[in-house]
Structure formats: C-alpha cells, structure tokens
Amino acid sequence: MEIQTMNKLERKALKESGTDFIRLGMALFFMVAVLTFSFLSNGGISNNMFLAVAALIGAYMAMNIGANDVANNVGPAVGSKALTMTTAIIIAAIFEAAGALIAGGEVVKTIKKGIIDISAFGGNADPFIWAMMAALLAAALWLNFATMMKAPVSTTHSIVGGVMGAGIAAAGFSIVDWGTMLKIAASWVISPVLGGIIAAAFLYSIKKSIVFKEDKVAAAKKWVPVFVAIMAWAFVTYLTLKGLKKIWPSILDLLNSLPLVAIEVTKKPTLMTALIMGFIVAIIVFISMTAKLKSNATMMENTKASVNTLFTIPLIFSAALLSFAHGANDVANAIGPLAAINDAVINGGISSKAEIPLWVMGVGALGIALGLALYGPKLIKTVGTEITELDQMRAFSIAMAASITVIIASQLGLPVSSTHIAIGGVFGVGFLREYLHLTSPQSTIEDDLKILEDEKATFEAYTKELRTLEAKENKVEAEYERIVELYKLRREENKLIKSTKRHLKQTKKVEYVKRDAMKKIFAAWIITVPAAAILAGLLFFMIKGIMI
C-alpha cells in the first residue's frame, strides 16, 4: 500500500515538474523572440543591443503583470464558479491584449505618476536609460517573487518603487517628489477600505432585498434587474473613463462622420459624458433583464442557489470589461519604461512623454496574455478561493466595488490601486459574512447556553447524590452499584459540557476570512514599494558598473 502511494506521489511530481518545464520553456521562448526581434529591427541604431535587452526585460515584466495583477479581474468569477479556470484565462487574455492594443494609447508618460524629476539627470541619456532598465527589472523580479508567494500585489506600486529607487541611486533623494509618494502610500489604506465597504454594502443590499425574503423568486424578479442595471451603468462609466480615454477623439470623429451628428471633440471623456453613456446602457439592460426574468420565473426555485445563478452572466461580462480596462491602463507599467528607453536610445535625449512603437505595444499586450495563461492560475486561486469562500452574489459585489471605487476615487483625486480595491472587496464580503453570522444565529447561541445550563445542573445533581451515597455508612450492594454508575454518568456529562462549550465558542468566533492569507497580503502590500526601490537601486549600480 505504501509503495503504491509513493508511486502515485512520484508520478504526480514528475507530471508537475514536466508542466513547470513547459511553462518555463514557453516564457523563455517569448523573451528570446522579443530580444531577437528588437535587435534585428533596430540594427542601424547605436546602443542597439542595450535596447534589445531592455525589450527582453519589458517582456519579462509584462508576463509578471499577467501572472499577478490580472487575477484580480477574474479571480472572484472563478472562485464563485461562474467561470471555469480555462474559460476565465481565455477571456482575460483576449480582453487584456485587446485593451492594450486598441486603447493602450500612442503616447505614454515615461515616469509613472511623476514620482521623480527627470531634469535631475541634466539631459544625460545614459544614467536615465540605466535607471529605467533597473526600475523595470526590479519591478519584474518583485512581482515574480510575489507570485511565487501567492501574494497579489500592485504592479503600479512595484514600478513606482522601482523608478523611485533607481532615481535615488542615480541622482540622490532630492529627485523624488515626496508629496506624490505620500499620496501613493495613502492608497494602501484608501483602496482596500473603499473597496471593502462598497463590496460589503452591495452584498448586504442583495441579501436584504432578495436572500432574506420568504418569496425569493418575486424579490429576484423585482431587484435583480436593478442590481444588474446599476452594474452596467458603473461598468460603462468606468470603461469610458479608464479604458477608452486614449482613443476618445477617434471615437468622436467616427460619430461625427454620421449624418445629423455633431459632437464636440474633446481630448478625453468627461465624467458627465461617461455617466450618460452608462445610463443609456443601464436602461437597455434593465428592460432586457426584466423581460428575461418574467419569461423564466416559473423555472426558478425559491432558493438562494437559484438566485445566485442570475448573476453568472453579469459576472462574465464584468471579468471581460475589467480585463479590457486593465490592459488599456496597466500595460504602461510594462512598456512605459521600455518606451522611455526606446525614445532615449533613438533620439539621444530624455523626454517626459514618449511615442510607443507598435512592436513595444505588442510586447506589452502579448506578454500580459502569455503570463496570465502560464502562471495566472496560482493567483486566481488565491483571490478566488483562498481568502474567503465566494459565490456569484459575493463575486458580483466585488466586481461592483472595483468599478465604482475607481470612478469615485478618480473624480476626488484619490490615489487607488485596482489590486488593493479587488482584494479589499474580497475581505469586505468575508467580514460581512462573519458579522451576519454573529448577528443572525442568536437563537442558536441562546439554545446552546440553555443546554449548557441544564447539563451543568445535571452534573451538580449527580455530584450531590454521589457525595451523599459516599458519606453513608453501611452501604448495601445496590448503593455501591449506584456510586459506580454516578461516576460514569458524571464523566459522560462532563464530556457533554465540554462539547457544548466548544460548539458555543465556534458559533461565536467563526472566521470566514482566513487570517493567515490576510496577514501575508497586507505585509506584501506594505513592503512592495521599498522592496522594489532597494532592488532597483542595487541593479542601477550594477548596470552602471558594467557600462562604465
């Protein structure tokens, strides 16, 4: 039997090692392909090899973004079983790549968030190129380590830390805009708290209006279209503001080419424009959802599970739209420094903004999709199943928090992280479950307390009778037998008392959020910026030492 078990374990280990080898091979093939393409396509440029190495690091960074950050968009949907792992990866990979290529923009800021002053380089392109390369590699290495540790961290904070550390190493502490860094540090609290509150509020609203009702079918017919319409409104607004802002003028030009349409062309969509577009879509969604529920109401069962299934399709759309917006925005974390290096190498100077060649955008888009496909499942499982148990309603609430929090924060000028919002949403629904458990099963707790009282009274009665019999002189045989029986009854009653106490303690202290996972993730968030900064500083000095 033991030999069979060992053989099974050995076969499993060989299978896993083989899969890991294939993944590593595909990742290395992609990076080498990027290196080769960059070297051959920029053959007439000085520092060509340096640019090719930077492209390889950019590809490595893009894959790490895909492996770590994208899990936040699809993890709740997978954890709730609205999507299978394979389907989620396919949807996310397609929409991440589409977001990056379609709406990723033609120009990117070379210094993410303006955290360092590029004038401190004195127009000298070489230390700037070394700093950007060090920042990119440091952020990628940190993300790789975080993914191995199954800790979802902010890729934006990773690159921010890398740029800060490399900038300090290149030009001293005065190069850093510490006010901006303070805002970024504030997002460690703002993002998860906002995400958690909004997710918990939506979940409680769903439970109060549908799940806690006796006639769940009637409540679902009334309220599910409302919740899904709100989601559509929030997501279209979010997508317009964050996913379409780079191609907004082109969209308006296309609309103005239609007859009887005259819209003022603006650089990016305003909040009011995005809200109006979202509201129009929300009305259409509300009408279609109401009609669908009206026709399918007889097929529904009066159960929570039946209500849960109504949120499956909205969750699939949310995963796709979140991935598109993420690809459009966060591809800059991979290609921003690469675009800066490309611009500096080709033009021999430093610019606050850089044109993005199509091949650089392709590196970001394909790298994110490939990293997600190869290494994303580990973090998707962490987000979806290893923090708290999710169903469709909980995952729906987390998706709502992701879009609404970004809209609110961007309009208030608050720095937020999409990763922290999503994980904060997961924590929020988990802690709400704990709160509801503590407030709803009072009858169970009261019953346990009454049982405990009765068991203690019975134990005392046995004890009293036992003492009386033991104190009696000239006991008969029946009394000796009763003494033995009382000892046995007291032991059994004592076991019952301990069991009831354990059950009462468990009822009072159920933990729906895994504390170990929470501590690990919070620790990773706190050290992301300093860890990436220290690593980038060391890498800058290493690169500088090699180049001089």
Side-chain angles (χ1 to χ4, degrees):
M1 191 68 181
E2 289 181 4
I3 294 173
Q4 288 179 347
T5 304
M6 290 295 292
N7 287 336
K8 286 181 182 178
L9 291 172
E10 187 179 348
R11 283 196 299 271
K12 187 178 179 182
L14 286 170
K15 185 178 179 181
E16 288 179 357
S17 63
T19 304
D20 290 341
F21 183 76
I22 292 170
R23 286 176 183 156
L24 179 61
M26 292 179 70
L28 289 174
F29 177 80
F30 175 68
M31 289 191 290
V32 171
V34 169
L35 173 74
T36 305
F37 178 83
S38 175
F39 182 77
L40 294 177
S41 60
N42 297 294
I45 303 171
S46 59
N47 282 331
N48 176 32
M49 192 62 207
F50 207 81
L51 178 56
V53 173
L56 181 145
I57 297 172
Y60 176 51
M61 175 64 172
M63 284 193 292
N64 278 292
I65 290 175
N68 193 290
D69 215 23
V70 181
N72 307 311
N73 302 327
V74 297
V78 173
S80 67
K81 296 181 173 57
L83 285 171
T84 63
M85 180 69 75
T86 303
T87 307
I89 288 172
I90 291 170
I91 289 173
I94 291 171
F95 280 88
E96 285 280 342
L101 290 171
I102 296 170
E106 297 176 355
V107 176
V108 69
K109 290 181 180 178
T110 56
I111 305 299
K112 185 73 176 176
K113 304 286 185 186
I115 56 170
I116 64 172
D117 181 9
I118 59 173
S119 64
F121 289 98
N124 190 350
D126 283 346
F128 176 74
I129 292 172
W130 302 338
M132 290 299 97
M133 185 173 284
L136 197 56
L137 182 55
L141 288 170
W142 169 249
L143 281 174
N144 199 161
F145 176 74
T147 303
M148 288 172 59
M149 298 302 294
K150 299 172 75 173
V153 297
S154 170
T155 55
T156 301
H157 288 182
S158 300
I159 196 66
V160 161
V163 169
M164 182 185 75
I168 291 171
F173 285 91
S174 61
I175 196 174
V176 180
D177 184 340
W178 292 106
T180 301
M181 288 305 303
L182 187 62
K183 288 181 181 179
I184 291 168
S187 75
W188 297 339
V189 177
I190 295 169
S191 299
V193 169
L194 269 178
I197 290 172
I198 293 174
F202 264 96
L203 180 60
Y204 186 74
S205 300
I206 294 169
K207 285 182 175 293
K208 195 79 173 173
S209 59
I210 303 173
V211 178
F212 295 161
K213 298 292 183 182
E214 293 228 357
D215 189 349
K216 295 178 178 57
V217 175
K221 285 170 63 178
K222 179 180 178 182
W223 286 106
V224 168
V226 174
F227 286 116
V228 176
I230 293 172
M231 182 187 206
W233 191 357
F235 266 90
V236 173
T237 304
Y238 170 77
L239 187 64
T240 303
L241 291 173
K242 307 300 286 184
L244 301 180
K245 61 183 178 181
K246 307 237 176 105
I247 56 171
W248 186 247
S250 302
I251 293 173
L252 292 184
D253 286 339
L254 178 64
L255 291 174
N256 283 328
S257 67
L258 300 174
L260 304 177
V261 176
I263 305 172
E264 182 186 355
V265 177
T266 56
K267 188 177 180 182
K268 59 183 181 180
T270 63
L271 175 63
M272 185 55 65
T273 302
L275 285 170
I276 291 171
M277 290 178 65
F279 185 69
I280 293 169
V281 174
I283 291 172
I284 297 170
V285 168
F286 177 81
I287 294 170
S288 61
M289 196 75 188
T290 302
K292 181 184 177 183
L293 285 180
K294 190 175 181 181
S295 61
N296 294 341
T298 54
M299 299 170 62
M300 283 185 62
E301 296 178 7
N302 192 38
T303 61
K304 179 185 172 184
S306 184
V307 174
N308 250 321
T309 59
L310 299 176
F311 293 96
T312 299
I313 293 176
L315 269 175
I316 294 171
F317 276 100
S318 74
L321 294 177
L322 282 172
S323 296
F324 184 90
H326 180 269
N329 284 276
D330 281 30
V331 68
N333 291 329
I335 63 171
L338 176 56
I341 293 169
N342 179 72
D343 185 70
V345 168
I346 291 174
N347 300 319
I350 304 173
S351 175
S352 61
K353 291 187 177 181
E355 295 290 331
I356 304 177
L358 183 60
W359 73 269
V360 172
M361 187 63 76
V363 167
L366 294 176
I368 289 175
L370 186 62
L372 167 66
L374 296 179
Y375 296 103
K378 183 182 289 188
L379 263 294
I380 290 173
K381 287 177 183 175
T382 297
V383 175
T385 62
E386 294 178 9
I387 299 174
T388 192
E389 185 182 339
L390 298 177
D391 58 18
Q392 287 96 319
M393 282 183 282
R394 295 166 199 156
F396 176 88
S397 303
I398 294 164
M400 288 293 299
S403 58
I404 292 176
T405 304
V406 171
I407 294 168
I408 294 171
S410 63
Q411 297 310 306
L412 296 176
L414 298 173
V416 291
S417 161
S418 59
T419 299
H420 293 187
I421 293 168
I423 302 302
V426 176
F427 286 136
V429 300
F431 285 124
L432 176 66
R433 293 175 66 207
E434 289 188 10
Y435 170 77
L436 292 175
H437 180 87
L438 285 174
T439 54
S440 61
Q442 288 304 311
S443 58
T444 304
I445 294 174
E446 289 168 6
D447 290 344
D448 280 352
L449 288 171
K450 182 69 172 63
I451 291 169
L452 188 61
E453 270 181 47
D454 292 343
E455 287 169 348
K456 285 182 177 179
T458 303
F459 183 84
E460 289 299 322
Y462 289 152
T463 304
K464 186 177 179 181
E465 184 183 354
L466 181 63
R467 286 173 181 167
T468 302
L469 286 173
E470 286 183 332
K472 186 179 178 181
E473 295 181 1
N474 303 319
K475 293 185 277 290
V476 297
E477 184 179 348
E479 288 171 330
Y480 280 112
E481 289 175 353
R482 178 60 179 167
I483 288 172
V484 173
E485 184 183 5
L486 285 170
Y487 271 110
K488 184 179 178 182
L489 289 170
R490 283 175 79 252
R491 279 198 302 271
E492 290 174 355
E493 200 62 40
N494 194 41
K495 286 179 183 178
L496 286 173
I497 290 171
K498 288 180 179 179
S499 176
T500 305
K501 284 182 177 178
R502 277 198 304 270
H503 186 264
L504 189 61
K505 188 177 180 182
Q506 288 170 355
T507 303
K508 288 181 177 179
K509 295 186 177 180
V510 168
E511 292 185 352
Y512 286 112
V513 177
K514 296 175 184 175
R515 268 43 176 189
D516 289 342
M518 184 174 71
K519 291 173 186 175
K520 180 177 71 174
I521 290 169
F522 282 170
W525 287 356
I526 292 169
I527 66 173
T528 288
V529 170
I534 292 169
L535 188 56
L538 294 173
L539 287 169
F540 173 82
F541 287 122
M542 186 180 75
I543 294 169
K544 183 179 179 182
I546 293 171
M547 299 305 295
I548 293 178

